[in-house]
Amino acid sequence: MRVSVQEAISALSSPLKEEMEKIVSSPDFDATIGPEDFASLSTVTGLSDADLRVAMLPVAAAYSVAPISKFYVGAIARGASGRLYFGANMEFEGVQLSQSVHAEQSAISHAWLKGETSLTDITINYSPCGHCRQFMNELNDADKLEVQLPQREAMLLHKYLPEPFGPSDLGIEEPLLAPLNHGMIAHEDDALIQAAMGATNRSHAPYSKNISGVAIRDKQGNIFSGMYAENAAFNPSLPPLQVAMIAMNLADVSLSEIQDVVLVEKANAVISHLQDTQAVLEALNPDIPLAYLAV
Ligand SMILES: [Zn+2]
């Protein structure tokens, strides 16, 4: 467990501190809180559902990687299954700021990576920026999504984003997090390529049609994959490399552990992730090999 997470837990009030220590020190802890653990935390602490989520935000924010802003944002997204998914912002020195990941994107991608198909609520330690309000409007059931901030009443996303523009304005019926399988097959018998292809098959790219996925292998041989998450407003789209880095970060593995990477995307699509993927990896470590598969 990274020091920032240990420190965030140490700073919690009792008995939440002791209960969170138990949960987080379990070898199975994966930056999520299951519904049974959440109910038990609520009983032991006497905190309401919303107050408990807000009280846990510093632990989510402790996953932040923000060398530029040093502004640590945490988000906790709850899936329809009742499980809570931590997320935190990520910044990358040496590339455009547009490559940054916001905490809401991190928590939402985390839930998506682990199989959630819709979210009921998201709790954030700062008011969501315009970019994230738009990103969240891409979600399945966006009109029902509750946003909870500290010391605020929960409000629906569309209270934060009145008169929203979204997928339906472009005739798109498959929202973000809807289960997808684009049915592409990798013929290479390579675990990293297979993982990137699996992510490609789940990617949400209804506008450019450039379905795409990335898989990262770390120095221990663990594989983290990420699906491309496109957005109706284009700019808030989240590239597949970023989603794979979110998976790695929330698995408590430093980006300095990246061994090699595969990018899969559609051949001859109207856009490409290749140059941005190369640029971000180059900024992290120029020696990371990137394999590229256009299918
Ligand atoms: Zn944001």
Side-chain angles (χ1 to χ4, degrees):
M1 193 196 320
R2 70 189 75 184
V3 173
S4 57
V5 173
Q6 285 172 337
E7 288 175 348
I9 292 171
S10 301
L12 296 173
S13 308
S14 296
L16 180 58
K17 176 167 80 171
E18 290 76 14
E19 295 301 313
M20 282 298 286
E21 266 166 6
K22 272 189 237 165
I23 292 171
V24 171
S25 58
S26 155
D28 297 333
F29 180 70
D30 64 347
T32 74
I33 304 282
E36 300 82 9
D37 277 341
F38 187 77
S40 149
L41 283 169
S42 185
T43 304
V44 171
T45 60
L47 292 171
S48 70
D49 189 294
D51 287 345
L52 177 55
R53 280 179 280 132
V54 167
M56 291 194 300
L57 280 171
V59 183
Y63 285 87
S64 171
V65 180
I68 301 169
S69 68
K70 303 200 168 45
F71 188 73
Y72 306 113
V73 189
I76 303 173
R78 176 156 44 194
S81 71
R83 183 167 288 272
L84 294 126
Y85 298 84
F86 290 0
N89 58 324
M90 299 177 79
E91 300 165 354
F92 310 103
E93 290 177 293
V95 289
Q96 291 180 335
L97 293 178
S98 61
Q99 301 294 338
S100 307
V101 173
H102 295 225
E104 296 89 325
Q105 293 179 308
S106 169
I108 291 165
S109 301
H110 189 191
W112 188 28
L113 283 158
K114 290 181 177 161
E116 296 288 348
T117 55
S118 71
L119 304 179
T120 56
D121 52 77
I122 187 162
T123 308
I124 321 157
N125 60 352
Y126 295 99
S127 184
C129 75
H131 175 95
C132 287
R133 295 175 196 207
Q134 187 67 53
F135 184 82
M136 292 190 282
N137 196 41
E138 194 77 17
L139 284 168
N140 213 352
D141 293 331
D143 58 336
K144 300 188 194 80
L145 183 71
E146 278 194 353
V147 177
Q148 177 72 58
L149 302 179
Q151 295 160 345
R152 291 275 190 288
E153 291 296 316
M155 289 204 298
L156 290 174
L157 170 65
H158 286 176
K159 287 278 185 187
Y160 286 94
L161 190 70
E163 300 190 41
F165 171 81
S168 59
D169 293 299
L170 296 174
I172 298 302
E173 288 170 2
E174 289 284 359
L176 182 62
L177 265 62
L180 291 173
N181 183 356
H182 300 297
M184 307 288 286
I185 294 166
H187 298 290
E188 292 79 357
D189 186 25
D190 173 280
L192 202 58
I193 292 175
Q194 290 287 347
M197 187 60 82
T200 300
N201 280 328
R202 294 182 63 201
S203 64
H204 173 75
Y207 310 104
S208 72
K209 314 286 189 206
N210 184 15
I211 56 170
S212 179
V214 158
I216 296 172
R217 180 163 30 215
D218 73 10
K219 291 174 183 168
Q220 308 302 316
N222 302 303
I223 292 176
F224 305 95
S225 55
M227 308 80 85
Y228 177 37
E230 208 160 65
N231 188 274
F234 285 17
N235 297 66
S237 300
L238 193 60
L241 175 64
Q242 270 74 350
V243 177
M245 291 193 295
I246 288 166
M248 192 173 184
N249 182 44
L250 293 168
D252 209 14
V253 181
S254 164
L255 300 181
S256 65
E257 292 293 304
I258 296 176
Q259 175 72 39
D260 59 335
V261 177
V262 168
L263 166 66
V264 173
E265 66 179 356
K266 203 91 187 263
N268 305 314
V270 292
I271 64 157
S272 173
H273 297 291
L274 181 57
Q275 287 187 337
D276 282 340
T277 305
Q278 286 171 326
V280 174
L281 291 176
E282 175 91 12
L284 288 173
N285 173 359
D287 295 331
I288 297 170
L290 171 66
Y292 177 62
L293 201 61
V295 290

